[in-house]
Amino acid sequence: MGDPGKEEYKIQCFDAETQQLLKTALKDPGAVDLEKVANVIVDHSLQDSVFSKEAGRMCHAIIQVNNMPMMALVNPVYDCLFRLAQPDSLSKEEEVDCLVLQLHRVGEQLEKMNGQRMDELFVLIRDGFLLPAGLSSLAQLLLLEIIEFRAAGWKTTPAAHKYYYSEVSA
């Protein structure tokens, strides 16, 4: 059964060298090039959506040591968010939902680490909202909500909560 306190991660899909890199990153993040680790994880997640949940668990485990590993993840995470903010992705509700959910979770931290890229991302999001070629009403609502969420300092105001969530829960 192994050590009950130690989590096992599904990394068999990687070659032996990459598996070793990931194992080392999980044990001692300071001993590896975290940007390389982040790129490996993100690239594989973009190719295999089933792996994405596992990738999230691994990244979470790596950044628990201290906040420095988070710096290595900033650009790859932004790359994923930029991909989700492209017009072809915004036409798919599931991808808009994923974009908005991730921005709710880590948007504030990402902005603190690289505000310029967040500004660039929100230009794409705003343009996607304003030029809704094939954008569903739910996707428009989600984009408007995240625009307002950021504008309010990454918090939901009572008025915004009532506007966006009262219909959903009713």
Side-chain angles (χ1 to χ4, degrees):
M1 279 240 179
D3 182 357
K6 185 178 178 198
E7 290 222 41
E8 292 294 322
Y9 296 92
K10 298 177 182 99
I11 58 172
Q12 300 83 6
C13 54
F14 294 101
D15 61 64
E17 182 182 336
T18 304
Q19 286 184 33
Q20 189 56 49
L21 175 71
L22 294 173
K23 286 177 184 175
T24 304
L26 288 161
K27 288 178 188 161
D28 182 12
V32 296
D33 177 353
L34 288 172
E35 189 161 352
K36 181 177 180 181
V37 171
N39 286 330
V40 165
I41 292 171
V42 169
D43 289 346
H44 194 72
S45 295
L46 290 173
Q47 295 169 12
D48 179 4
S49 60
V50 175
F51 179 74
S52 296
K53 185 175 181 181
E54 189 70 12
R57 288 180 51 230
M58 291 170 64
C59 290
H60 182 76
I62 292 169
I63 66 167
Q64 291 306 302
V65 178
N66 60 40
N67 256 349
M68 287 314 294
M70 182 64 177
M71 287 303 296
L73 298 174
V74 170
N75 285 325
V77 170
Y78 267 122
D79 292 344
C80 289
L81 295 174
F82 270 82
R83 179 65 193 100
L84 289 170
Q86 296 303 312
D88 63 316
S89 292
L90 292 177
S91 66
K92 301 174 185 133
E93 283 183 3
E94 316 82 53
E95 295 194 20
V96 173
D97 190 45
C98 181
L99 171 66
V100 170
L101 180 64
Q102 296 314 312
L103 284 168
H104 272 280
R105 288 182 177 164
V106 297
E108 185 174 15
Q109 295 92 330
L110 286 173
E111 185 164 38
K112 286 177 185 172
M113 294 184 178
N114 190 337
Q116 181 180 344
R117 281 205 76 189
M118 187 62 72
D119 290 341
E120 294 166 4
L121 177 64
F122 269 79
V123 166
L124 281 176
I125 291 171
R126 183 204 62 216
D127 289 350
F129 173 77
L130 293 174
L131 307 169
L135 208 60
S136 73
S137 56
L138 177 59
Q140 285 180 301
L141 186 71
L142 289 169
L143 293 177
L144 181 59
E145 189 272 339
I146 198 64
I147 290 168
E148 289 189 15
F149 185 70
R150 180 185 183 217
W154 299 102
K155 296 183 181 6
T156 302
T157 64
H161 188 273
K162 183 178 180 187
Y163 178 79
Y164 292 107
Y165 301 108
S166 64
E167 286 296 313
V168 174
S169 61

